[in-house]
Amino acid sequence: MELRTMIYASLFAAIVGALGLLPPLITPFTPVPITAQTLGVMLAGSLLGAKKGGLSLLVFVLLVMVGAPLLSGGRGGLGVLFGVSGGYILSWPIGAFVIGYLVERFWSRMNIGLFILANLIGGVIVVYAMGVTYLSIITDTTWGQAAWSALIYIPGDLVKVVVASVIARQMMRVYPLIEKSRSNNVSRAV
């Protein structure tokens, strides 16, 4: 693994951790708190691409697993991953990978609409699918009941999708990390 990949993966793991400094919102509708950390998932996939974005969130999840208090509210450890939030947290590397894959796939014609679509698919649909499924198993409720409780996240997640997409589009214009990694690979091959 090259040094640049390790640096970017570490940087975005730190960004997701920093977003955990914002206090979680606890609601009576769901046992899973509302946090800002999925914004970091969307940014990692949108800015780094599939492999680096997924790796950055995998590093984050591994740090949480060994007890680093990086989750919103200062939580960390295996207990959190086996708790009600576990499915959402474990989905983050996959969500970032899916976002990054879609961004890389359509890189030459990426616009704000495609960034929004990629972040909706990877950052909302993938994360919700895994999180809701895990929550229904942990709480011994039906999938529909768990999905119903997740509706409260939609307004905030839609805002995060737009914010991540605008930032990614601006970064693509100013300092495209994905394009640089692709051009490096091409120059090495020649």
Side-chain angles (χ1 to χ4, degrees):
M1 183 182 310
E2 66 181 60
L3 180 61
R4 182 174 296 175
T5 300
M6 291 188 292
I7 290 170
Y8 286 144
S10 300
L11 174 65
F12 276 84
I15 288 171
V16 176
L19 287 168
L21 294 173
L22 298 171
L25 296 175
I26 310 297
T27 69
F29 307 109
T30 179
V32 180
I34 299 171
T35 72
Q37 290 183 295
T38 49
L39 174 61
V41 174
M42 295 175 198
L43 287 171
S46 295
L47 297 174
L48 297 180
K51 290 179 184 175
K52 291 177 188 170
L55 177 64
S56 68
L57 272 295
L58 182 60
V59 167
F60 179 84
V61 169
L62 291 173
L63 288 170
V64 167
M65 191 180 297
V66 298
L70 297 173
L71 295 170
S72 189
R75 299 171 303 139
L78 279 175
V80 176
L81 297 179
F82 288 118
V84 292
S85 300
Y88 290 98
I89 298 162
L90 292 170
S91 73
W92 291 352
I94 298 166
F97 182 88
V98 169
I99 294 166
Y101 174 80
L102 293 171
V103 169
E104 288 175 356
R105 176 80 173 88
F106 299 105
W107 182 253
S108 63
R109 48 181 199 222
M110 281 306 286
N111 57 36
I112 194 72
L114 288 174
F115 273 117
I116 287 172
L117 183 61
N119 282 309
L120 275 173
I121 292 170
V124 177
I125 294 172
V126 169
V127 170
Y128 281 36
M130 291 182 66
V132 166
T133 302
Y134 193 88
L135 179 63
S136 71
I137 293 167
I138 293 293
T139 59
D140 198 27
T141 58
T142 66
W143 193 90
Q145 290 170 320
W148 183 256
S149 73
L151 292 177
I152 194 162
Y153 308 127
I154 290 176
D157 283 340
L158 292 178
V159 170
K160 291 178 220 173
V161 162
V162 171
V163 168
S165 298
V166 168
I167 291 171
R169 180 67 179 134
Q170 288 303 103
M171 284 294 293
M172 181 182 175
R173 290 180 185 162
V174 178
Y175 192 76
L177 301 175
I178 292 173
E179 188 174 68
K180 284 186 179 266
S181 67
R182 284 188 171 183
S183 65
N184 287 343
N185 291 339
V186 171
S187 65
R188 283 187 202 133
V190 174

